[in-house]
Amino acid sequence: MFKQINDSRAETVTVQLNGNEVRVVAGTTVAAVALTAGLSFTRTTPVSGARRAPFCMMGVCYDCLMIIDGQSGQRACMTYVKEGMRIECQQGAGLIPGESQ
Amino acid sequence: MNNHYQMLVIGGGPAGLAAATIAANSGVSCALLDEQPAPGGQIYRAVEQAPELRAQLLGADYQRGKSLVENFRASRAVYFPNTSVWSVNEQREVGVNYQGDSRIITADHILIASGAMERPVPFTGWTLPGVMYAGSGQILFKSAGAIPEKGVVLAGSGPLLLLLAWQYMRAGVKIKAMLDMTPLGNRIMALPELPRALLAYQYLTKGMTLQRELKQAGVEIKNLVSDLRAEGDGQLERVCYRHRGREHTIETDLLMTHFGVIPHVWLTQAAGCRHLWNESQQCWHPQHDEWGATSIEGIFVAGDGAGIFGAKSAEYAGYLAGLQMSYAAGAVTRGERNQQAIVYRKAMKRDRHIRPFLESYFHIPREILAVQNNDTVVCRCEEITAGQIREAVANGHQDSNQVKYFTRCGMGPCQGRQCAQAVAHIVADAGGKSVSGQSCFRGRPPVTPLNLEQLAQMKRRQR
Amino acid sequence: MMEADVLIIGAGLMGASAALHLSMRGYRCVVIDKASPGRHASGANAGGLRQLNRDPAEIPLAMESARMWHQIRDLVDSDCDARFPGQLRIAENAADMDKLEQRAALVRSLGYQHEEIIGKKELYQMVPALAPHCVGALVCRQDGFARPYHTLTAFRLKAESLGARFYADTEAYQMVQDGEGWQVRTSSGTFNSTFLINCAGAWAGKMAAMLGEPVPLQPKALMLMVTERLPHFVDPVMGAASRKLSFKQMQNGTLIIGGALVAKLDFEREKTDINWEQLMESADTVLHFFPQLKNVRIVRAWAGIEGFMPDNIPVISASGMNKNLYHAFGFSAHGFQLSPVIGRILSELIIDGRTPLPIEPFRIDRFNSAI
């Protein structure tokens, strides 16, 4: 849906997005990464399984919840990428506590 | 982080920055808590780090934030980024998450400058991936330099729509359509406010300039659009609407809507401040006096979190609140406070001349706020439809809070931020209490994420 | 002026239940509430349907109420989202087990079978997610939970369909005996009725005093926390033998955590304030039993205003002073499960002059020597 205005001087980090390695600009949010990496959705809802993607981008809608570094229910728009971060789409209510995906 | 400060500012936007700067410079021991990693709030988001090109594309108003942030950095206020506040109470105990740890600190004076958020307006298909707010587009632009890849449809009613369209146009984004849903009647309703608005004519001329430049760039603005719908299978594929009596469809994977902004009152609510419905701005305001003092002693508000008056006004209100708190802390005399306040009061008054006109012109019609299509999802978190809300009212649940307990509207992770307005309007529309006669969803802490471990380790650390 | 056979003060669970049972037997009821139905304890509680670990005086009432709960749809045309996965009091060590075994013995000696001791093996069969150090539990298998506000709504709608009328935002200012009946002046006008019932929850003490029979009711606010939704991982409701804990996973996957957590309360202003110290303690207790929940987010903490009696059992009684006046209040944070049977008891007292259930221990004048 989105692309980044090119800034070749920008520092990058490598993260894992749904198991795939992606190089992203440092200092961006996980939500921005998801939207610029071509994901069409970032979670399915626990109520109906409907697909959702980041919506408000400022932490007030909780629609961008993803599993980040093994923890479900993380707001992707409020989380900034770090080297080696593992980012996954969240299905429904996420993980049974104590279990990893 | 200390356990106690003379003054705590919650929020790193213009109001918070101004208040912290002026108070710290007056000698008050002041800390600013910001959930973002760098100062600027949403309006000046990432302004310190913005590459030259990005700042230019975003415009001069955005760049104003840079000097505001520089002054703040140069002041003696202590800055805590990546710090969220999950609770404030009447005793001015503040629950914070700082560097992964939770703790409760206290302050003599607290300024809650939590800013604004987009007015959530449910419409058919608004939950589809690819539907976002105009403000979301701005945030992506400011914080990540990200712009729509395959074009965008913009729709709604409000000044931000025009600004975003202009910013996108300059960045080369294909604006497939701009759908202005402002009703015809508003132009007439707003006329009486025009004389006063002329006192802040720069806003009017700026608006006209943006429109002209858009037109020159070939961006078509359709007026008096209605019946907006987003459609697609698991993601947005097209936008449908009515214009000049006919049905229209545009293929698009991105739709950005804007229906004004409203104060983000969840922290002031949870703190127990009194709130009143403001019909002109169509939102709840925390009740406050001319210095920003709320119904709770020692707790102040300033900026768009107190009422929508824009970034410049937020700055002036921040200075005024900062002055009052400095006076209350004994750092300036009453005379000094009054003297320094003069220029800010004057500037704020001048800046606000545009508001009655804007509020009237961009007044959102009741039928849009009181979602008419009963199949439309209103509570995004719990997926409750307008029809379910109306059914609850028919069963005797007469106000927002009762409807919430019965339907679970507002009980999901966002705690009603995205549905409170719509629920109140639908309830009133369905024969329940009037919007101003209902109280907002009862706000409760924690207002930002707090997990069991963070709670528990506060206990363990005490042992 | 408005007329009714019975005027009920308080549109919470007890008031709605009373209105239903009386309406079922043809009595015209009016229920008034100074706020909206279920505004306080009835809408804010944890929804526990518990017979386990009750004061012996309450056991016969709780057992009868449990029978009603298991057929609640027949009564109010709704299942109130009730579930019955059982309730446990968990023992962590031998001392805990002793305590529980004594309780089990007491209950058996009174002739009841509903509370059983289970050992480690069965405990972990019931709650596989539990931390491994626990040794056994006391269980009531027929216990469970429902949704309080839905329950209240179901009772109210059924009562309304049988002719009961509910008036919100209606505060009672004055209650005067008018011959054998009552005249009640309220913010919505004056009501005349033959019978009067005081079900005013945390405000019932105030009402009782106005009616000339003060009681030592203490309003308190108890807190609960609710988490984000989680996939289903635990069935029964959990309590602990020697820690404050009330823990359950709701139908929608959220966890409701409580257990006698006391909030700060300004009763006059009806304002509650979260007591974070207590919530910290509670979170620590939860993680003690379920350490894997450490990253689970609390979405909301709240407190409901409830009425407590010094002996921790309610008042369910005819007035000791006035004719045609009845009281049902002071449920001390464990009234939800009793609400169906309380309404029936009140209807029996009013219509038949007596009830088959033993309500002697709940007399309103039991405190007289104390005042």
Side-chain angles (χ1 to χ4, degrees):
Chain A
M1 285 181 244
F2 286 85
K3 65 180 180 196
Q4 272 178 303
I5 296 174
N6 247 325
D7 186 5
S8 50
R9 293 159 304 153
E11 253 188 73
T12 61
V13 296
T14 306
V15 301
Q16 281 207 20
L17 188 57
N18 287 336
N20 302 316
E21 261 194 16
V22 186
R23 215 164 49 172
V24 300
V25 175
T28 45
T29 61
V30 171
V33 164
L35 291 168
T36 51
L39 291 195
S40 62
F41 72 100
T42 50
R43 77 175 178 118
T44 60
T45 66
V47 176
S48 72
R51 292 180 170 185
R52 298 288 174 92
F55 180 59
C56 77
M57 295 302 299
M58 58 178 279
V60 295
C61 78
Y62 290 76
D63 241 325
C64 63
L65 301 178
M66 299 184 83
I67 303 177
I68 299 178
D69 285 339
Q71 277 191 47
S72 46
Q74 303 299 299
R75 289 177 297 176
C77 72
M78 299 295 284
T79 310
Y80 288 80
V81 292
K82 286 200 181 78
E83 179 67 38
M85 185 176 266
R86 284 170 1 254
I87 304 161
E88 297 154 283
C89 286
Q90 177 162 313
Q91 310 294 340
L95 308 169
I96 288 190
E99 290 179 19
S100 48
Q101 194 131 287
Chain B
M1 182 178 280
N2 298 347
N3 286 328
H4 181 84
Y5 288 92
Q6 270 192 311
M7 178 170 153
L8 272 179
V9 174
I10 302 170
L17 294 172
T21 305
I22 204 169
N25 290 345
S26 308
V28 178
S29 130
C30 170
L32 189 147
L33 311 175
D34 188 356
E35 64 177 359
Q36 292 295 327
Q42 297 305 331
I43 190 89
Y44 301 131
R45 186 152 169 175
V47 72
E48 270 181 324
Q49 297 299 317
E52 187 61 40
L53 172 62
R54 193 192 302 173
Q56 264 201 39
L57 291 172
L58 287 164
D61 280 346
Y62 175 69
Q63 292 160 42
R64 180 194 172 99
K66 196 150 186 198
S67 55
L68 186 56
V69 171
E70 278 165 3
N71 292 343
F72 168 73
R73 290 283 196 190
S75 80
R76 288 160 65 191
V78 186
Y79 179 57
F80 293 103
N82 298 309
T83 299
S84 58
V85 172
W86 39 268
S87 172
V88 173
N89 64 19
E90 216 170 80
Q91 292 75 38
R92 297 185 305 281
E93 297 165 330
V94 181
V96 306
N97 277 359
Y98 169 59
Q99 290 182 343
D101 273 347
S102 301
R103 50 203 292 195
I104 295 183
I105 62 178
T106 55
D108 298 328
H109 309 94
I110 298 174
L111 172 67
I112 299 179
S114 42
M117 58 183 210
E118 286 267 5
R119 182 196 309 279
V121 174
F123 58 90
T124 305
W126 74 312
T127 55
L128 284 168
V131 179
M132 302 175 83
Y133 291 122
S136 318
Q138 285 222 311
I139 290 169
L140 276 161
F141 202 159
K142 288 169 184 169
S143 70
I147 54 176
E149 187 172 22
K150 297 182 231 160
V152 65
V153 170
L154 302 173
S157 173
L160 190 60
L161 215 53
L162 198 57
L163 177 62
L164 182 63
W166 179 79
Q167 290 167 332
Y168 273 170
M169 177 267 292
R170 284 170 22 118
V173 172
K174 179 166 164 56
I175 298 171
K176 296 181 172 183
M178 212 169 125
L179 309 174
D180 191 326
M181 297 174 66
T182 311
L184 184 61
N186 284 17
R187 300 182 194 175
I188 320 238
M189 298 283 287
L191 271 181
E193 314 293 355
L194 196 47
R196 182 168 164 197
L198 291 172
L199 293 171
Y201 66 89
Q202 314 93 313
Y203 283 108
L204 293 173
T205 52
K206 179 174 159 200
M208 296 192 313
T209 307
L210 295 184
Q211 286 201 341
R212 192 186 30 157
E213 292 188 22
L214 279 169
K215 204 163 174 188
Q216 280 168 359
V219 176
E220 199 195 345
I221 302 174
K222 290 194 178 175
N223 290 314
L224 309 181
V225 168
S226 66
D227 201 11
L228 180 72
R229 280 148 285 147
E231 292 179 2
D233 181 19
Q235 66 185 94
L236 178 66
E237 288 163 0
R238 62 198 159 273
V239 169
C240 307
Y241 60 96
R242 286 194 75 77
H243 180 239
R244 295 207 182 133
R246 293 185 29 233
E247 266 291 312
H248 296 262
T249 302
I250 313 178
E251 307 277 310
T252 180
D253 73 341
L254 207 45
L255 164 67
M256 288 183 182
T257 64
H258 176 70
F259 293 94
V261 294
I262 58 174
H264 182 205
V265 297
W266 260 250
L267 188 54
T268 46
Q269 275 273 310
C273 297
R274 198 172 304 131
H275 289 70
L276 299 169
W277 177 259
N278 182 302
E279 183 51 37
S280 181
Q281 293 196 0
Q282 299 173 292
C283 60
W284 282 285
H285 287 186
Q287 189 188 312
H288 61 279
D289 70 10
E290 74 273 20
W291 297 103
T294 67
S295 60
I296 297 181
E297 188 175 331
I299 299 185
F300 290 75
V301 289
D304 272 2
I308 304 303
F309 292 99
K312 291 205 188 94
S313 208
E315 207 182 306
Y316 306 138
Y319 289 129
L320 291 169
L323 278 172
Q324 176 65 354
M325 284 185 277
S326 303
Y327 165 60
V332 303
T333 65
R334 196 185 176 88
E336 284 165 342
R337 177 201 72 175
N338 292 346
Q339 184 59 34
Q340 292 184 50
I342 294 174
V343 64
Y344 302 122
R345 286 232 181 273
K346 211 164 160 183
M348 196 165 84
K349 185 171 172 190
R350 204 170 47 229
D351 191 58
R352 290 185 177 195
H353 284 313
I354 191 69
R355 287 291 143 185
F357 175 76
L358 287 180
E359 287 165 22
S360 202
Y361 192 87
F362 292 117
H363 195 84
I364 310 293
R366 190 162 291 155
E367 320 80 70
I368 290 188
L369 294 179
V371 182
Q372 297 298 293
N373 184 338
N374 279 334
D375 294 326
T376 302
V377 166
V378 171
C379 172
R380 297 173 65 99
C381 296
E382 299 292 315
E383 302 184 55
I384 310 296
T385 64
Q388 285 171 278
I389 296 167
R390 289 197 160 86
E391 199 187 315
V393 177
N395 274 326
H397 306 281
Q398 294 287 295
D399 71 20
S400 290
N401 283 295
Q402 291 177 66
V403 166
K404 178 173 78 172
Y405 292 139
F406 190 69
T407 61
R408 279 195 65 81
C409 242
M411 284 191 170
C414 93
Q415 287 289 290
R417 286 168 175 83
Q418 298 298 310
C419 67
Q421 279 231 340
V423 172
H425 282 86
I426 294 170
V427 166
D429 188 52
K433 291 187 174 169
S434 69
V435 175
S436 53
Q438 302 175 47
S439 46
C440 196
F441 278 162
R442 259 185 291 282
R444 291 281 184 264
V447 298
T448 55
L450 178 68
N451 64 38
L452 284 170
E453 176 67 15
Q454 286 164 331
L455 258 180
Q457 49 94 351
M458 279 192 281
K459 178 79 209 171
R460 290 182 213 130
R461 247 191 284 115
Q462 284 172 8
R463 294 190 189 130
Chain C
M1 277 209 228
M2 290 159 277
E3 302 271 334
D5 294 322
V6 188
L7 182 76
I8 299 166
I9 302 177
L13 288 158
M14 304 307 166
S17 180
L20 173 63
H21 284 97
L22 286 159
S23 302
M24 278 163 61
R25 292 182 68 177
Y27 276 57
R28 295 167 308 153
C29 294
V30 161
V31 187
I32 65 173
D33 198 293
K34 65 175 177 50
S36 50
R39 168 70 182 86
H40 294 284
S42 290
N45 67 70
L49 298 180
R50 177 177 63 80
Q51 300 168 84
L52 186 69
N53 207 43
R54 286 204 176 243
D55 187 299
E58 291 182 351
I59 294 178
L61 274 62
M63 293 185 79
E64 180 57 24
S65 211
R67 274 189 279 277
M68 295 171 81
W69 271 109
H70 281 266
Q71 286 154 42
I72 199 73
R73 190 179 273 286
D74 295 341
L75 184 61
V76 292
D77 303 337
S78 160
D79 69 0
C80 305
D81 230 354
R83 300 269 190 284
F84 303 99
Q87 173 138 1
L88 299 168
R89 270 190 95 205
I90 298 175
E92 299 180 72
N93 50 48
D96 281 352
M97 275 309 268
D98 271 342
K99 196 166 151 182
L100 297 178
E101 267 155 10
Q102 279 178 43
R103 164 73 191 186
L106 169 69
V107 169
R108 272 195 310 272
S109 75
L110 295 170
Y112 304 115
Q113 311 301 325
H114 63 289
E115 298 186 17
E116 289 173 56
I117 291 284
I118 59 174
K120 193 167 175 132
K121 188 162 173 222
E122 188 171 358
L123 173 61
Y124 284 95
Q125 270 169 3
M126 285 186 80
V127 195
L130 187 62
H133 68 282
C134 303
V135 300
L138 187 66
V139 64
C140 176
R141 300 181 194 275
Q142 302 83 33
D143 280 353
F145 53 90
R147 294 170 76 186
Y149 191 69
H150 290 70
T151 304
L152 171 62
T153 298
F155 272 79
R156 173 175 63 81
L157 290 177
K158 189 71 195 268
E160 283 175 341
S161 76
L162 296 171
R165 284 163 294 152
F166 284 71
Y167 292 83
D169 302 314
T170 300
E171 185 166 358
Y173 295 144
Q174 197 182 40
M175 297 151 289
V176 190
Q177 277 216 285
D178 182 13
E180 297 229 312
W182 289 92
Q183 196 176 83
V184 177
R185 288 196 189 97
T186 76
S187 53
S188 302
T190 303
F191 293 85
N192 276 1
S193 67
T194 311
F195 301 95
L196 182 64
I197 310 181
N198 172 17
C199 295
W203 292 265
K206 185 173 159 200
M207 293 292 117
M210 281 167 71
L211 290 158
E213 44 190 347
V215 290
L217 179 150
Q218 170 149 58
K220 271 200 283 189
L222 293 198
M223 296 183 294
L224 290 170
M225 301 189 268
V226 64
T227 68
E228 56 186 323
R229 286 176 188 246
L230 298 168
H232 189 81
F233 74 99
V234 67
D235 290 323
V237 179
M238 244 116 12
S242 52
R243 293 178 203 255
K244 290 203 288 192
L245 178 70
S246 156
F247 175 92
K248 64 173 75 70
Q249 184 166 33
M250 300 298 284
Q251 304 85 333
N252 58 33
T254 59
L255 304 178
I256 303 263
I257 300 166
L261 308 172
V262 183
K264 301 177 225 168
L265 170 65
D266 179 340
F267 187 58
E268 282 313 307
R269 291 165 62 203
E270 294 188 13
K271 189 170 185 293
T272 61
D273 253 315
I274 297 299
N275 180 331
W276 290 103
E277 296 288 317
Q278 293 260 303
L279 292 187
M280 293 172 199
E281 176 99 47
S282 180
D284 193 36
T285 302
V286 169
L287 292 180
H288 188 76
F289 289 106
F290 297 96
Q292 68 272 45
L293 298 181
K294 63 182 168 65
N295 292 320
V296 170
R297 279 184 306 113
I298 301 295
V299 166
R300 186 182 182 90
W302 73 93
I305 307 177
E306 166 70 308
F308 287 77
M309 306 312 297
D311 51 6
N312 228 34
I313 61 174
V315 168
I316 309 164
S317 135
S319 164
M321 288 195 56
N322 303 81
K323 216 166 180 297
N324 295 342
L325 169 63
Y326 297 84
H327 298 276
F329 60 79
F331 288 86
S332 309
H334 53 268
F336 180 49
Q337 193 270 352
L338 295 174
S339 55
V341 80
I342 297 300
R344 200 177 79 197
I345 291 170
L346 288 167
S347 69
E348 288 163 347
L349 291 176
I350 286 178
I351 301 172
D352 310 321
R354 63 191 181 346
T355 175
L357 285 164
I359 60 168
E360 209 354 71
F362 308 110
R363 285 170 30 234
I364 190 170
D365 58 13
R366 69 185 190 265
F367 306 104
N368 284 352
S369 52
I371 295 181

